[in-house]
Amino acid sequence: MLKRENIMEVAAMSEDELSFEQFKREVLKDYRLAHVSRQMSLLGRREVLTGKAKFGIFGDGKEVAQIALAKQFKNGDWRSGYYRDQTFMLACGMTTPKNFFALLYGETDTALNPDNGGRSFNNHFGTRLIDADGNWRSQMESKNTASDISPTAGQMPRSVGLALASKLYRNNPDLKDQTKFSHNGNEVVFTTIGDGSTSEGHFFETMNAAALLQIPMAVSIWDDGFAISVPTDKQTTKGSISKLLKGFEKGPRDATGIVIYKARGWDYAGLCQMFEEGITRCRKEHVPVLFHIEEMTQQMGHSTSGSHERYKTKERLEWEKEYDCINQMRKWMLETGIAAVEEIEAIEKEALAEVKSARDSAFEDYMGPLKAERDELLQLVASKQCVCSSAHQNLVDDALKQLNNALVLTRKEIMMAARKILRHACSGCSQENGSKASIKAWVMKYSAANNKRYNDRLYDESSKSALKVAPVPPKYAEKPEMIHGRLVLQENFDSLLSRDPRVLIFGEDSGMLGGVNQTLEGMQLKYGEKRVFDTGIRETTIIGKGIGLALRGLRPIAEIQYFDYLLYALQTLSDDVATLHYRTKGGQKVPLIVSTRGHRLEGPWHAGSPLSMVINSIRGIYVCVPRDMTRAAGFYNTLLQGDDPGLVIEPLNGYRLREPQPLNPGEFRIPLGQPEVMREGEDVTLVTYGACVRIGMEAADQLAQIGVSVEVIDVQTLLPFDINQTIVASLQKTGRVVFFDEDVPGGASAYMMQQVVEEQKGFFYLDTPPVTISARDHRPAYGTDGDYFSKPSAEDVYEAIYDLMYDSNPEKFPSIYS
């Protein structure tokens, strides 16, 4: 800790040296801010424990270090942090005490809770990057934070892409006009993480990628000695993450690596000096830096769900009280004469008053609309004009009483009461304008309002939606040349890269090799390593790279080599990409395209089709399952015209099959959610996708030879699914339906059946029960025979459809096996 004679060394915290008086004002302002943040944590915890808020997780003990770090955060910079960064956000001016409490209460008005509109926890922040029309705001006029997520270390992968964007903007002259997103690549990405989370694989994968890429990423590790209840020496080799990462450290002759700094979380002056030095170097040299901040404390425990007294010793608790960073800063100010006791106490009193006022104002704003909604319902019920008896009036009265006596008023309580009243009010009354009709109308209106509060914007609903991209058919010569499917994709990627310098394609073996199936052959040589490039075998950060690049205005296509490799990155896709637009209530978007290949191949690896696992994990991402490479290319073109994230699964057996050569590569667009009728029929509707389409057509050809007319429908995309109800229209004609794919039983075939039979009301047109055809429960066995006996074949499809015809007309179609 510095003495008074040394404090002027710290005063140079900006380009201009500060006088002692200026320095004193800066320190007192910082102390006040630290105290404001601490009181926010203390009062926030009280709001949860008294039932006013649902859950709380706070940044107590991290205040001083975060204030010191925030001094280096500039317009255009990015934060990719975690749920204890409230002080950093306050110090940067990206939140206020009132915003903090709005988050805590779950305020749904984005004017009051711009970070997440009530769709995520407190201390989960996010800059509103998108305007009401779906357009990007200038990121250079604001300080930016990627929308926070709770999964530990989940913030790490996207940091790679956010920082890589700065490097690309600095080094690619074709991007110089993208002034909304960068100023010569000078932006630093501030990544924060708790020490416990550094045990996650996401952390190590990210640090390896950053060290290799040499990108402006500054990682701050807040180390309070515990991961909830587990002490550091039981989770980290050598008991120190900075010691563990020594092998990553960049030496004077090293081309790659990270710069490592260490400091103590209660040392205000030392922290200010360290962060200034480290961030300046990171910004100027584009070298990743890691700040290991030790001896931090967490006075209130992990969250409102438990007590840290259960696992911390008496000695540790006493140490935390003594080395509380605010307490240590207070002692330092007194020792150095920066402030007197009276000044400090006045600051503390003002800080507490400010936080209480913010809390009360936020709660009043939050409760006001709820009270008005409750009173509107009560008034509607009380204004009953008609005279009729109700055998269930006592149940109505009970519902009203429960609503009036609710300990904590919520929209759940209001809606529960309204629905109970609707069940029982004026039972037996059919008067057109009676009380029951009025309550019903109110419930419907309230449901619609709450849908907007809690359920909308899973996908982009603006004019930038991929669903609103106008379709453009492929154009062909009168006698088109038949070329390999891989060449269709290659020509399409060539066109996309030539048209838009924002388009980037990267993945394992995507660069020099041109992809394992050569769909990018020659593209790196033609467009350079800044546009088409290789990555390491690290699927999580391939996706993370895509997230960050997309958030910063670029149009990345991230290639995952095989479909089963996607499982490595499924958590990042599910928790970050898929939820981003929803959890920010349209405040952020991530137009990332993920390209992969899968379906039929011989053996247990690279041959799986776990579509049900994927589509049920990544709602919020469109899932395209093309049957050939022309369809795949068309989906890439469509997705690039919109701003929704999408996954395109190229069929592995299509690269060497020949297709007509389109004359308009990069221009034709296949609409999402619109199936294609491949073959018209009258007897049975066969619904399938991807590599199974060819098998289905083969079976349909064979069935036609015996007089069975099969209508084959390629759904083309699973998310969205048949938005114009093409399949149910076919079902009205045939009365029979078979769903066919190569996922496991109960997988995507069951999903398609539910969509058609239940959602599209196809049940009412069925003459026979629906049938599903799928693979076996296990991974496909090796070899041609293994594939044949593991996954459905044309013979399986033939016999399943034949059995349907046998059930309808056994004389014409006698049983095959009996």
Side-chain angles (χ1 to χ4, degrees), residues 762-776:
F763 172 82
F764 297 102
Y765 307 106
L766 286 172
D767 296 329
T768 61
V771 173
T772 63
I773 306 171
S774 59
R776 299 297 182 94

Side-chain angles (χ1 to χ4, degrees), residues 62-122:
K62 317 293 186 289
E63 294 91 351
V64 169
Q66 292 187 11
I67 289 169
L69 177 63
K71 293 178 184 298
Q72 308 304 322
F73 200 67
K74 299 180 179 181
N75 278 4
D77 284 346
W78 277 82
R79 167 188 166 273
S80 181
Y82 86 136
Y83 41 72
R84 301 199 189 278
D85 286 350
Q86 70 197 48
T87 313
F88 181 85
M89 295 294 291
L90 279 170
C92 292
M94 293 193 288
T95 193
T96 67
K98 187 174 179 180
N99 290 154
F100 170 87
F101 284 103
L103 273 165
L104 185 67
Y105 298 134
E107 173 63 64
T108 59
D109 185 346
T110 54
L112 300 172
N113 178 5
D115 295 284
N116 62 47
R119 294 188 175 181
S120 196
F121 288 160
N122 76 299

